[in-house]
Amino acid sequence: MGAERAARMKIHEFQAKRILAAYAIPVPKGEVADTPAGARGVAERLGVPVVVKAQIHAGGRGKGGGIRPARSPAEAEQVAAQILGMLLRTPQTGPEGRRVKRVLVEEATTIRRELYLGIVLDRRAGRPVVMASAAGGMEIEEIAAKSPEKILRAPVDPAGGLPPYVGRKLAYGLGVPAELTRPTADLILGLACAYQEKDCSLAEVNPLVITEDERVLALDAKMTFDDNALFRHPEVRELRDLDEEAPLEVEASRFGLNYVKLDGSVGCMVNGAGLAMATMDIVQQAGGAPANFLDVGGGASAEQIENAFRILMADAAVRAVFINIFGGILRCDRLAAGVIQATRALKVRVPIVIRMEGTNVAEGKRMLEESGLRFLTAASMAEGARMAVAASRGRP
Ligand code: GDP
Ligand code: MN
C-alpha cells in the first residue's frame, strides 16, 4: 500500500550495478551518458556491439522500447538520440510514462540462459528471503503465477547472513553448468551481503544470465532501500533522483511531511501513521475513497499546517478535505490557526470537514467558529468521514 511505497528509496540500474560490482558481482562493462555524443564516446571506449539502456525508476523497459542494441559507435549515437528525451511507457510506469534523461551504454552480452534472482523482505517470516528461478526473463509475479514450483526460496538469518552452503544449494537448484556453480553461489552470497549491509528492501537481478562464453553475469539490477535506515548510508542517500519521484511527495518531504497520492477524491490530513490508516479505512467504509493522505506528524507548527494544506490542495482530484487530528503534542488551537491561515491564503473552495480531539480542543473549535470561514465540524471520526464523503460528491 501507499505508505510502504513511500518508505522505499529507489535508485537507477547503473547505480545498483556499481553497488553490486563493489560486492564482487560480475556486471557488464558500461558507462552512463546524457547526450547522444556521450553515448557514442562510451561505445568507442568499450568497443562494439553495445546495448543502450534507458535509465528510469521502472522496469519493463525492454518491452517499452527503452533497450536497444547498437553495432557501431555511430549507431549507438543514433539509438541514444531516440531514447534520450523519450517518454518511456512500460507496464510499470503507468500511462503517463517517464522522461528519459540518461542512458547506460554497456558491452552487449550473448545470452544462453536467463535466470531470476531476488531478495525481498518476507514480512510473515520476519526476515529477508532469497528467491531464485531458472524461469528468468519474466517478472517474479508472473513466475509465481505460472510455475510457482520453479521458485527456490531460502530465508536469510538477519544476524548470521546466508551461509555458503545455501548459496551452493541454490546454484545447483538453478541447474547452472558445473563449472559455474561456484561463481553463481558467490554471486548469490554477494547479493545477500549487499542487501543486508545497505539496508535494502529489495535487491533483484532479473535477468541473471549465463553467457555463451560460460560466464554468469548480472544483466539487470534493481535495488530499493528502507528509508528509515538511510541515515546510516549517506552514500546511498546521495543516489536519490528527485526527478523520478512524484513532485508533491518530494515537496512534502522537504517540509518533513509524509504525503501519499491515492486515487479517490477525499483529501485527508492526519497526524501519525496509525491514524492515517484508520482514516483511510473509515473513509472507505463511508463509501468514499481517499485522494491522498498527508501525515503532518507529531509537532507541526501553524506554518507547517499551511504547507501541508497547500500540498493537499495542489491535487486536482480533491473534492473535499477531511482533517482528522488527535491533538497531543500538536495542539488543537495551533492546528486551527494553521487551517484558518491556509484557507484564507489559498482561497480554498472545496468543503473542509474537521474532526479534532485532544489538547486545547475547545480553544481550537472557538477559533474555527469565529474565523468567519465555513468549516464543517464533526464530533467523531465516523461522522467526519460520512460528512467528507458526502461533501466530496457535492452534497454537504
Ligand atoms: P527491463 O526490461 O527494464 O527489466 O530491462 P532488462 O535490463 O532486464 O532487459 C530486458 C531484456 O533485454 C533482458 O531480459 C534481455 O533479454 C535483453 N537484454 C538486455 N541487455 C542485453 C544484452 O546485452 N544482450 C542481449 N542479447 N539481450 C539483452
Ligand atoms: Mn529486468
Side-chain angles (χ1 to χ4, degrees):
M1 118 112 251
E4 212 170 88
R5 186 193 57 199
R8 295 171 169 208
M9 194 192 96
K10 294 182 178 176
I11 60 174
H12 289 289
E13 174 196 10
F14 77 92
Q15 297 166 324
K17 280 179 166 165
R18 277 183 199 156
I19 294 177
L20 296 188
Y23 285 83
I25 293 178
V27 295
K29 279 198 202 70
E31 290 173 43
V32 269
D34 54 11
T35 61
R40 181 194 189 111
V42 178
E44 277 162 0
R45 280 193 290 282
L46 291 176
V48 287
V50 292
V51 174
V52 181
K53 307 180 79 177
Q55 298 298 290
I56 56 167
H57 283 186
R61 295 163 301 167
K63 288 172 196 144
I67 296 178
R68 310 258 308 265
R71 282 157 309 214
S72 66
E75 193 182 359
E77 179 168 356
Q78 248 172 43
V79 167
Q82 284 160 14
I83 295 179
L84 285 166
M86 86 185 275
L87 197 59
L88 182 53
R89 289 191 190 86
T90 84
Q92 292 179 29
T93 60
E96 70 276 18
R98 287 291 167 75
R99 191 70 63 190
V100 182
K101 291 180 306 173
R102 278 178 293 201
V103 290
L104 172 61
V105 182
E106 278 185 346
E107 56 180 12
T109 304
T110 340
I111 302 171
R112 181 179 301 168
R113 279 181 61 196
E114 298 199 354
L115 314 169
Y116 174 91
L117 176 64
I119 305 180
V120 287
L121 180 63
D122 179 345
R123 287 171 193 278
R124 229 175 310 162
R127 52 186 58 198
V129 59
V130 180
M131 292 192 288
S133 178
M138 282 186 269
E139 301 300 319
I140 189 71
E141 293 83 2
E142 203 181 332
I143 307 174
K146 283 191 184 151
S147 33
E149 76 289 349
K150 286 194 186 144
I151 302 177
L152 310 170
R153 289 167 207 267
V156 184
D157 179 351
L162 198 68
Y165 82 90
V166 178
R168 287 197 295 276
K169 214 169 110 181
L170 289 166
Y172 280 124
L174 286 171
V176 300
E179 57 280 20
L180 288 183
T181 307
R182 177 66 184 276
T184 305
D186 287 346
L187 191 152
I188 296 169
L189 295 173
L191 191 69
C193 201
Y195 181 97
Q196 283 200 290
E197 285 182 7
K198 297 293 182 185
D199 287 304
C200 291
S201 41
L202 170 84
E204 190 181 68
V205 175
N206 187 24
L208 174 70
V209 300
I210 311 289
T211 63
E212 279 301 345
D213 57 351
E214 295 264 305
R215 288 176 300 135
V216 61
L217 200 63
L219 202 66
D220 189 10
K222 180 176 174 184
M223 279 181 141
T224 69
F225 301 87
D226 177 354
D227 275 1
N228 294 316
L230 283 176
F231 72 94
R232 53 185 182 195
H233 303 291
E235 80 291 357
V236 172
R237 202 149 65 177
E238 264 177 30
L239 304 179
R240 188 167 174 198
D241 183 351
L242 294 178
D243 290 349
E244 291 281 335
E245 298 179 20
L248 289 175
E249 291 182 13
V250 174
E251 170 99 5
S253 75
R254 274 182 35 218
F255 296 111
L257 305 162
N258 185 20
Y259 171 89
V260 176
K261 172 82 185 108
L262 300 164
D263 46 22
S265 57
V266 180
C268 300
M269 189 162 105
V270 300
N271 61 334
L275 190 57
M277 296 303 135
T279 305
M280 303 298 101
D281 286 348
I282 209 155
V283 166
Q284 300 216 342
Q285 211 166 50
N292 54 39
F293 73 77
L294 203 146
D295 179 0
V296 297
S301 61
E303 199 188 345
Q304 244 177 327
I305 300 284
E306 186 176 342
N307 285 322
F309 228 83
R310 201 163 40 71
I311 290 163
L312 209 67
M313 295 316 305
D315 179 351
V318 171
R319 297 268 172 274
V321 175
F322 181 23
I323 300 177
N324 188 13
I325 298 281
F326 183 79
I329 301 169
L330 168 61
R331 298 172 349 221
C332 293
D333 56 325
R334 207 188 268 171
L335 171 76
V339 171
I340 292 166
Q341 203 172 299
T343 309
R344 286 212 176 101
L346 303 170
K347 301 188 172 63
V348 178
R349 304 230 181 275
V350 301
I352 300 168
V353 179
I354 305 176
R355 177 266 175 178
M356 58 187 183
E357 210 51 78
T359 311
N360 295 355
V361 65
E363 172 69 3
K365 284 188 175 157
R366 193 186 55 76
M367 289 165 67
L368 292 176
E369 269 161 35
E370 291 174 0
S371 69
L373 296 164
R374 193 163 167 269
F375 297 110
L376 303 166
T377 53
S380 71
M381 254 173 88
E383 188 190 44
R386 278 195 301 273
M387 289 165 74
V389 171
S392 74
R393 296 186 177 136
R395 301 186 272 107

